[in-house]
């Protein structure tokens, strides 16, 4: 249940935020919010992370669908269990779907979050993917040290 709740919530919040940016900001517009820590900047990315592979975004939507299918497969097999992995996979799937929706509908991803002066530009789906990766790392550390302590 946690997996579905997080996945759906991430997609809904991500798409709502992107809609607000697309309808209320001009492309390239910069709004200082908590300067210098956070700014809103409207950017459209037709590639991948760090604006790499510009113009190849449609292929990343295929990768996202394959990834989501793999997560559902492993969930069905019972290999993704426990609240930490449920949450992690929910964030990963929600983030992947949030960006895939943009790629399919708009042929690019709406980015708008800039952290600090040197950071890249992200969106909420990207943050969810990062959160999922961090939770998997935490799970692996807990699992490793838990097995080590049991010996």
């Amino acid at each position: 249940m946690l997996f579905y709740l997080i996945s759906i919530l991430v997609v809904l919040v991500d798409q709502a935020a992107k809609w607000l940016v697309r309808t209320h900001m001009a492309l390239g517009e910069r709004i200082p919010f908590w300067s210098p820590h956070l700014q809103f900047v409207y950017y459209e990315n037709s590639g991948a992370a760090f604006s790499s592979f510009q113009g190849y975004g449609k292929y990343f939507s295929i990768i996202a669908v394959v990834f989501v299918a793999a997560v559902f497969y492993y969930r069905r097999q019972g290999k993704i269990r426990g609240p930490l992995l449920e949450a992690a996979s929910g964030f990963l799937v929600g983030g992947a779907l949030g960006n895939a929706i943009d790629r399919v509908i708009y042929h690019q991803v709406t980015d708008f979050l800039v952290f600090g002066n040197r950071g890249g530009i992200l969106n909420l789906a990207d943050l969810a993917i990062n959160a999922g990766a961090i939770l998997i790392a935490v799970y692996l550390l807990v699992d490793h040290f838990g097995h080590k302590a049991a010996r």
Side-chain angles (χ1 to χ4, degrees), residues 68-79:
V68 170
V71 169
F72 275 97
Y73 173 78
Y74 284 110
R75 281 180 49 77
R76 190 167 178 85
Q77 297 297 315
K79 300 196 184 208

Side-chain angles (χ1 to χ4, degrees), residues 31-40 112-117:
I31 300 173
F33 179 71
W34 185 31
S35 202
H37 309 291
L38 175 63
Q39 299 177 64
F40 298 124
F112 57 92
L113 298 169
V114 177
F115 293 96
N117 294 327

Side-chain angles (χ1 to χ4, degrees), residues 97-142:
L97 289 175
N99 282 338
I101 290 168
D102 275 21
R103 287 187 173 105
V104 168
I105 295 173
Y106 304 105
H107 307 289
Q108 55 196 3
V109 174
T110 299
D111 289 327
F112 57 92
L113 298 169
V114 177
F115 293 96
N117 294 327
R118 297 175 292 160
I121 187 163
L122 307 165
N123 57 48
L124 296 178
D126 298 331
L127 293 180
I129 291 168
N130 288 326
I134 289 168
L135 289 176
I136 286 176
V138 168
Y139 170 81
L140 292 172
L141 286 171
V142 168

Side-chain angles (χ1 to χ4, degrees), residues 7-133:
S7 296
I8 291 168
L9 191 61
V10 165
V11 170
L12 292 175
V13 171
D14 173 67
Q15 289 298 304
K18 289 173 180 174
W19 176 81
L20 285 170
V21 168
R22 285 191 297 268
T23 58
H24 291 84
M25 291 179 72
L27 191 60
E29 182 178 354
R30 180 178 303 269
I31 300 173
F33 179 71
W34 185 31
S35 202
H37 309 291
L38 175 63
Q39 299 177 64
F40 298 124
V41 180
Y42 178 16
Y43 179 74
E44 294 292 346
N45 182 0
S46 66
F50 308 108
S51 296
S52 57
F53 304 107
Q54 288 297 306
Y56 292 94
K58 61 185 171 193
Y59 299 110
F60 293 104
S61 59
I62 295 167
I63 292 169
V65 169
V66 170
F67 172 77
V68 170
V71 169
F72 275 97
Y73 173 78
Y74 284 110
R75 281 180 49 77
R76 190 167 178 85
Q77 297 297 315
K79 300 196 184 208
I80 298 176
R81 289 185 303 209
L84 208 49
L85 283 182
E86 287 281 313
S89 59
F91 279 116
L92 290 169
V93 164
L97 289 175
N99 282 338
I101 290 168
D102 275 21
R103 287 187 173 105
V104 168
I105 295 173
Y106 304 105
H107 307 289
Q108 55 196 3
V109 174
T110 299
D111 289 327
F112 57 92
L113 298 169
V114 177
F115 293 96
N117 294 327
R118 297 175 292 160
I121 187 163
L122 307 165
N123 57 48
L124 296 178
D126 298 331
L127 293 180
I129 291 168
N130 288 326

